[in-house]
Amino acid sequence: MEFQPHPNTQQVSVTCAVITVSDTRSPDTDKSGQLIKELLLADDHTVSLYQIIKDEPKEIQSQMTALGEDTRINAVIFNGGTGIAPRDTTYDALEKLLEKTLPGFGELFRLLSYQEIGSRAMASRAVAGVYQSKIIFSLPGSSNAVRLGMEKLILPELVHLVKQVNFLN
C-alpha cells in the first residue's frame, strides 16, 4: 500500500545546504553528497551550500551553528558519520544541538533499511530534527542509504516540514 504525503497546493522551492561528513571524500569521490544535490535539484529545490567537512564533533557543531545563522537556508542534509565506529560522530554532535527531534524519521529510516539490508540497519543512527527554525536531516554516507532516505522520507515531506517549522500555510 503506497501512502501519499500531504498534498502541496503549490510547488515551493526549499533552500538547502548539503554537508558530507567524511575524513576521506573529496568533491570528485563524494557520490552521496552529489546524489543529494541531484535529487533536490530534480525536485525543484535549491542547494545554496555544498561542503565536505571532517568527522570531528567540533567541526560538525561549528558548521551547524553557522548554518543556523544563515537566514537563506531552510533545511540542512548531512550525510556520513552515523554508524557506531569510533570516527562516526555526526549523530553525537548534531543530537546535542537539536532543539526538537523527529524520532519517526530515524525509526522509519531503519525500518526501510531493514527491508533492504536486514538486521545491519540497527547500526544506523540516522536522525532528524529542528535547529534555529531549520529542518535538519542526517543520513548514512552510503549512496543506497541516501537514495532511500531522500526518495522515501525527505523529498515527500520536505516542503511540509519546512512550512510547519516556519508556521507557513
Side-chain angles (χ1 to χ4, degrees):
M1 181 177 196
E2 185 71 24
F3 291 98
Q4 295 298 316
H6 293 282
N8 291 316
T9 55
Q10 60 186 18
Q11 178 59 30
V12 175
S13 180
V14 174
T15 301
C16 302
V18 176
I19 308 298
T20 295
V21 179
S22 174
D23 293 333
T24 59
R25 292 189 185 166
S26 69
D28 293 334
T29 62
D30 181 21
K31 292 184 173 128
S32 294
Q34 297 299 334
L35 178 58
I36 294 169
K37 287 174 27 180
E38 289 170 18
L39 292 170
L40 286 168
L41 295 172
D43 208 38
D44 294 325
H45 299 296
T46 303
V47 177
S48 67
L49 175 72
Y50 163 70
Q51 203 163 21
I52 299 173
I53 61 174
K54 297 286 184 203
D55 200 339
E56 294 288 342
K58 287 183 181 177
E59 194 167 339
I60 296 165
Q61 289 180 333
S62 175
Q63 182 69 52
M64 179 89 143
T65 301
L67 292 169
E69 295 170 0
D70 189 334
T71 57
R72 299 168 297 160
I73 294 174
N74 307 111
V76 182
I77 304 172
F78 286 85
N79 77 94
T82 62
I84 59 170
R87 291 290 301 155
D88 289 335
T89 63
T90 305
Y91 173 86
D92 306 291
L94 294 179
E95 188 268 338
K96 292 175 179 148
L97 293 177
L98 293 176
E99 297 155 359
K100 292 183 180 182
T101 59
L102 297 172
F105 175 79
E107 294 162 1
L108 288 169
F109 179 81
R110 283 180 286 282
L111 172 65
L112 293 168
S113 292
Y114 177 77
Q115 293 169 350
E116 287 192 2
I117 65 169
S119 59
R120 286 206 175 163
M122 77 171 77
S124 170
R125 297 188 299 158
V127 66
V130 177
Y131 176 72
Q132 300 290 328
S133 298
K134 291 163 186 26
I135 295 294
I136 310 298
F137 297 99
S138 181
L139 293 166
S142 88
S143 295
N144 287 343
V146 162
R147 182 173 300 282
L148 176 74
M150 291 295 294
E151 291 179 348
K152 296 287 187 180
L153 299 172
I154 295 173
L155 291 174
E157 293 298 329
L158 184 60
V159 171
H160 175 71
L161 292 171
V162 168
K163 286 181 175 183
Q164 289 289 301
V165 167
N166 292 290
F167 308 108
L168 302 173
N169 290 323

